[in-house]
Amino acid sequence: MTRFALVPRLLRSRPLTKGFRYFYRYTRGGAYRHNETLWPLVKVRREGSEQLVACDLLGVRGPATLPMAQVPRAIHGDAHLILSGPSVAQIDYAQCALRSVMGVNGSIALCRQHPALRFDYYAMLDAGFVKRRRDLVAEVLSQDLLLFVTPEVYRWIAFLFDADTIRCRIALFEEVHQRALQPRAQPDELDAQLAGDPELVLFDAHNPEHAHGFSLNPARGLFGGGTVAYTALQLLAWMGARTLYLHGLDLSSAAGPRFYEQPGAQLATALDRQFTGHIEPAFRAASRLLAARGVKVYNLSPGSRLGDDVFEKRHWSCLLNQGESPPSLQLLSGLTS
């Protein structure tokens, strides 16, 4: 093994990366805490103070990235966001001809049962998933799709996978209130910065969990909603979706493990802890904003913790003939998949 080949292995070793984090934590103020997994391994390039253009990595050549401002906004009409809730397993994708499909984290596992299913877009913001489910990440990276990732996820992809084997295209995003290698924005600062901003719509800067808002221009940043589903919703709306179908938006660990996991072997989730104070309020405010902009959103998870007053619930069979009005969940509650 050459000295250069050894560098990525050293930089992803647990003792070394933990050492970097502890040193950073105790030499920086609390406003910089969210950067402890990036320093000193990641450097970012920006256009102005907001737009993240690219990342440079210490000791490894990362795959090429596409600036968000150059992402084609090519969705016209319907789009589908396939998540990882167990209700996804009830949908017969062999009967559904879907266009403009985005997956997140382990959604790619559906292709094992439904080889005809194709993802056009993908989103990941959990570096822990990249480290623990490399098999699924490798499947995503091998696809002809556009993958949206945070700088931290990008770092781990670059350290764990050979750039020459990556087929997908990659675009970088970050959250508005905690930009990479910049101090975390305080609520009063966000209020002042985003007052009346038509692209970064702030709902509540003072929420104790995270700032609530919705980005209509992800090149300037995205708002966290406690789940990658909220990230993906902003991306699909920005790329032009006029009707959005949400698959597997169960949002409850009580519903069982993710559709691709076995009981007792699932990765930890913060859904239950964050749902009431963070996730539900963010989606509720987003639903009003999207409705006002003429974007229709249907929730295909019958047991979703999000009420029908947030996003109207539909049975998955509405996908069989999208030229007709989607049947209501109540009328089809007796159907089995």
Side-chain angles (χ1 to χ4, degrees):
M1 178 179 294
T2 66
R3 183 184 303 175
F4 179 78
L6 186 62
V7 171
R9 179 175 296 181
L10 289 172
L11 291 179
R12 66 175 180 257
S13 68
R14 185 173 179 85
L16 187 60
T17 54
K18 285 184 68 175
F20 285 148
R21 288 170 58 186
Y22 289 142
F23 179 80
Y24 187 89
R25 186 180 303 176
Y26 292 113
T27 57
R28 304 293 194 283
Y32 287 86
R33 177 71 177 272
H34 63 282
N35 295 309
E36 66 180 34
T37 58
L38 300 179
W39 182 90
L41 306 176
V42 180
K43 293 183 179 180
V44 299
R45 284 181 273 155
R46 297 184 180 276
E47 182 177 306
S49 62
E50 289 183 347
Q51 295 196 22
L52 178 64
V53 175
C55 284
D56 298 312
L57 304 173
L58 176 65
V60 65
R61 177 177 63 88
T65 58
L66 179 69
M68 288 290 288
Q70 296 180 22
V71 169
R73 299 172 63 185
I75 299 178
H76 305 288
D78 297 349
H80 300 265
L81 174 54
I82 299 182
L83 305 163
S84 303
S87 66
V88 161
Q90 302 170 11
I91 300 176
D92 186 357
Y93 286 100
Q95 300 187 56
C96 305
L98 308 182
R99 297 178 302 169
S100 300
V101 179
M102 176 175 279
V104 304
N105 295 344
S107 306
I108 196 73
L110 277 174
C111 296
R112 299 171 180 175
Q113 289 78 40
H114 304 282
L117 180 63
R118 292 290 181 268
F119 291 93
D120 304 287
Y121 309 98
Y122 224 87
M124 293 184 190
L125 55 75
D126 181 4
F129 176 83
V130 178
K131 290 181 282 186
R132 295 180 179 90
R133 292 306 308 257
R134 298 184 198 180
D135 57 329
L136 294 176
V137 177
E139 291 186 40
V140 174
L141 298 177
S142 70
Q143 302 296 309
D144 180 17
L145 54 78
L146 178 58
L147 170 63
F148 297 93
V149 299
T150 63
E152 184 183 5
V153 169
Y154 176 74
R155 163 207 163 187
W156 279 104
I157 287 175
F159 286 167
L160 296 175
F161 299 93
D162 186 342
D164 294 332
T165 67
I166 295 175
R167 185 184 178 202
C168 71
R169 302 169 306 284
I170 297 178
L172 298 169
F173 71 87
E174 63 183 350
E175 294 187 353
V176 171
H177 71 294
Q178 48 184 21
R179 299 186 182 278
L181 302 181
Q182 292 185 359
R184 180 186 178 97
Q186 298 303 308
D188 290 342
E189 295 172 341
L190 276 181
D191 275 334
Q193 292 171 8
L194 303 183
D197 194 317
E199 293 185 329
L200 300 179
V201 182
L202 185 63
F203 303 142
D204 179 10
H206 296 267
N207 183 274
E209 298 260 10
H210 284 292
H212 288 164
F214 197 91
S215 176
L216 299 172
N217 181 4
R220 296 181 57 200
L222 291 163
F223 286 93
T227 168
V228 67
Y230 195 78
T231 298
L233 183 67
Q234 294 169 84
L235 290 167
L236 288 170
W238 170 65
M239 287 189 289
R242 303 305 298 169
T243 303
L244 272 160
Y245 295 90
L246 309 178
H247 306 224
L249 188 68
D250 301 349
L251 295 175
S252 172
S253 60
R258 301 167 182 89
F259 78 89
Y260 57 87
E261 294 178 325
Q262 297 299 317
Q266 58 263 44
L267 296 181
T269 175
L271 289 176
D272 293 337
R273 177 176 60 81
Q274 294 193 354
F275 181 80
T276 301
H278 187 24
I279 297 173
E280 199 275 348
F283 275 110
R284 183 174 294 278
S287 72
R288 292 192 292 265
L289 175 66
L290 291 172
R293 296 177 61 83
V295 179
K296 297 180 180 179
V297 183
Y298 297 118
N299 186 353
L300 303 185
S301 172
S304 175
R305 288 181 75 182
L306 286 183
D308 198 68
D309 58 333
V310 178
F311 297 127
E312 183 178 350
K313 292 183 179 180
R314 300 286 187 181
H315 190 272
W316 72 264
S317 60
C318 70
L319 304 178
L320 300 179
N321 187 348
Q322 294 187 2
E324 300 177 359
S325 298
S328 69
L329 181 64
Q330 288 75 20
L331 290 175
L332 292 165
S333 59
L335 289 179
T336 57
S337 307

